[in-house]
Amino acid sequence: MNKLGLYIHIPFCKSKCPYCSFISFKEKEESFDPYLVALQKEAIYFKGREVSTVYIGGGTPTVLDKKRLEFLFSIIHVNFSLSPEAEVTIEANPATFDLAKAEILRDYGVNRVSLGIQSFNNKYLEFLKRPYNRIQALEAVDILKQANFKNINLDLMYGLPGQDACEIEEDVKTLLSLSCSHASLYALSIEAGSEFYKNNFRLLSSDLQASYFELVKDMLIHEGFCHYEVSNFSLNNFECRHNLNYWRGGTYLGLGVAAHSYMEGRRLWNTERLDVYMNLLCQGFPAQAGEEHLDPLGQLMESFLIGLRLTEGVDLKKLEVIHQVKLPEEKERRIFEFIRGGFLQNENSCFKATVKGMMILDELCSRLI
Ligand code: SF4
């Protein structure tokens, strides 16, 4: 039976970061309770499903207080059957939890925390308008360790304006000194809808971004981390299983505003409007805003393109057997052009992105669709 990953979106944050294009809103405390009630109603539609991973993301789920977190976990445990080894992740931000909250998370079965640090340098934390400083970021990791979390991911950004190689090195060294099991390193990007995008903010050149990527990658690999996805590194056996399920074309169910699901070759998505999401569910309707049925070739392409994110690569022949369809010649020709250009490589029908390809993977994928 296919493993099902459960994603739950909590769209509230302490403040809105200028680079963010996610569906998230600056703390709207008056919406917290109606939103959780709507989530509860949505979960009932899928009651009884067995899930092997849970990922509570956002937004910043840890803006919820103790009572609301307890309610959130009761929604999960009442409606879903978690496999005994289930990985349960929650995203957190250093300004939103203390030891008591961390212990509640642990007691409710959370076994992985993904902490959005972004930088340990106060200058860049201010630039990114993150609501904490270096000391609080370090304390947050310490609190998670006191609460006995063994699987901690730290998110870090690089390629920030004015940031030089020494400052990036300093940030990665600090991350490594904290002995966490997983690291996600993202180059700053400008996403449509973000404050930076509206202000026509300019990024560093792609060559400079690429050299910084090599720098952070080499530092992490040198310390025993495995680079398993474009932006993700882990110590042995600490890969994020929930995200691996996405990248390997597995099925997942998303609950919450703007959440996406992929099940039985169908892609489904919820409304992006918070008020509409809550009203629909409150009136007894699902909050689905759209659905796309992928034909076998669509499913093959989806799995192939998303699989290119993984350093293990993606086996095209295997996908053709699974989906009972052959990749059209014109797409195959394009893939071989990318190989000649040094963006992809091919070993025994297994295709992988090179480092050069990883830097522009979204563009390569859009040219393959
Ligand atoms: S980047 Fe994260 S913390 Fe910042 S506004 Fe977006 S979801 Fe919230």
Side-chain angles (χ1 to χ4, degrees):
M1 190 175 153
N2 271 344
K3 290 178 179 170
L4 180 69
L6 172 66
Y7 174 79
I8 299 184
H9 191 69
I10 304 294
F12 307 113
C13 292
K14 255 185 119 56
S15 52
K16 186 77 183 174
C17 305
Y19 57 88
C20 178
S21 63
F22 299 126
I23 302 295
S24 66
F25 309 94
K26 185 169 181 280
E27 254 175 353
K28 282 182 162 221
E29 198 161 350
E30 69 285 1
S31 300
F32 287 5
D33 292 326
Y35 185 77
L36 289 173
V37 169
L39 265 181
Q40 183 187 36
K41 290 184 187 293
E42 191 179 18
I44 291 170
Y45 286 108
F46 304 95
K47 195 172 172 66
R49 299 265 186 144
E50 190 178 329
V51 301
S52 51
T53 60
V54 179
Y55 195 105
I56 305 166
T60 309
T62 45
V63 293
L64 299 178
D65 61 17
K66 175 177 175 285
K67 250 182 70 201
R68 290 173 174 129
L69 282 170
E70 283 172 344
F71 182 41
L72 174 63
F73 286 106
S74 78
I75 295 172
I76 298 171
H77 291 290
V78 165
N79 292 291
F80 298 97
S81 155
L82 269 59
S83 49
E85 299 302 314
E87 174 192 86
V88 183
T89 302
I90 193 163
E91 287 181 349
N93 144 343
T96 56
F97 67 93
D98 53 15
L99 183 58
K101 206 184 261 189
E103 286 172 345
I104 288 167
L105 299 175
R106 181 204 59 205
D107 293 347
Y108 276 94
V110 172
N111 49 29
R112 183 173 186 274
V113 180
S114 180
L115 197 54
I117 298 274
Q118 314 315 348
S119 176
F120 292 101
N121 183 325
N122 285 335
K123 181 169 69 175
Y124 296 110
L125 288 173
E126 272 171 37
F127 168 73
L128 296 170
K129 298 193 184 165
R130 302 290 291 177
Y132 52 86
N133 59 29
R134 172 187 171 86
I135 305 277
Q136 288 168 298
L138 296 172
E139 277 170 4
V141 179
D142 193 48
I143 287 171
L144 292 176
K145 289 189 172 176
Q146 283 180 52
N148 216 16
F149 282 101
K150 305 275 184 259
N151 194 353
I152 302 171
N153 168 59
L154 302 182
D155 278 354
L156 215 57
M157 276 189 168
Y158 63 91
L160 304 170
Q163 194 182 33
D164 61 25
C166 289
E167 288 172 320
I168 294 173
E169 226 176 295
E170 229 8 82
D171 258 358
V172 178
K173 271 189 196 157
T174 307
L175 178 146
L176 289 167
S177 73
L178 296 170
S179 306
C180 292
S181 54
H182 194 284
S184 301
L185 277 291
Y186 300 101
L188 176 66
S189 60
I190 305 297
E191 306 295 336
S194 67
E195 188 185 318
F196 282 165
Y197 181 85
K198 287 177 201 145
N199 295 338
N200 266 332
F201 186 84
R202 291 181 74 89
L203 287 174
L204 302 186
S205 74
S206 53
D207 282 352
L208 203 50
Q209 293 273 29
S211 75
Y212 290 160
F213 174 66
E214 291 280 6
L215 171 72
V216 299
K217 178 168 78 68
D218 291 349
M219 287 180 76
L220 285 157
I221 289 174
H222 186 261
E223 293 303 314
F225 280 77
C226 168
H227 179 210
Y228 71 101
E229 192 267 349
V230 176
S231 311
N232 285 286
F233 300 80
S234 76
L235 294 179
N236 217 0
N237 292 325
F238 283 99
E239 298 88 356
C240 176
R241 285 195 274 131
H242 183 84
N243 287 338
L244 272 179
N245 180 51
Y246 286 138
W247 296 320
R248 289 181 176 153
T251 54
Y252 54 87
L253 166 67
L255 302 183
V257 64
H260 284 230
S261 305
Y262 182 64
M263 292 187 281
E264 292 105 33
R266 284 184 315 149
R267 221 188 328 225
L268 310 110
W269 54 94
N270 280 347
T271 173
E272 293 192 350
R273 289 201 32 204
L274 185 63
D275 54 344
V276 174
Y277 174 82
M278 294 191 297
N279 286 339
L280 280 171
L281 283 152
C282 177
Q283 289 162 24
F285 300 105
Q288 193 182 319
E291 172 175 345
E292 186 183 3
H293 185 87
L294 298 180
D295 63 12
L297 179 60
Q299 290 180 43
L300 178 144
M301 285 309 293
E302 171 112 346
S303 301
F304 180 76
L305 297 179
I306 205 159
L308 285 177
R309 301 194 64 81
L310 293 169
T311 55
E312 70 188 16
V314 54
D315 188 333
L316 182 57
K317 287 247 168 339
K318 203 165 143 192
L319 288 180
E320 288 180 334
V321 172
I322 292 172
H323 298 290
Q324 296 282 296
V325 65
K326 183 133 179 43
L327 193 73
E329 270 178 28
E330 152 247 330
K331 290 197 191 291
E332 224 168 75
R333 264 202 306 277
R334 182 138 292 176
I335 289 173
F336 282 98
E337 275 167 27
F338 291 156
I339 290 174
R340 281 194 295 279
F343 298 106
L344 298 182
Q345 58 193 49
N346 174 21
E347 285 163 28
N348 306 324
S349 103
C350 185
F351 292 85
K352 300 176 184 184
T354 60
V355 168
K356 185 174 159 189
M358 282 179 187
M359 300 311 299
I360 55 157
L361 196 53
D362 289 344
E363 191 191 324
L364 296 182
C365 290
S366 68
R367 289 169 59 188
L368 276 172
I369 290 169

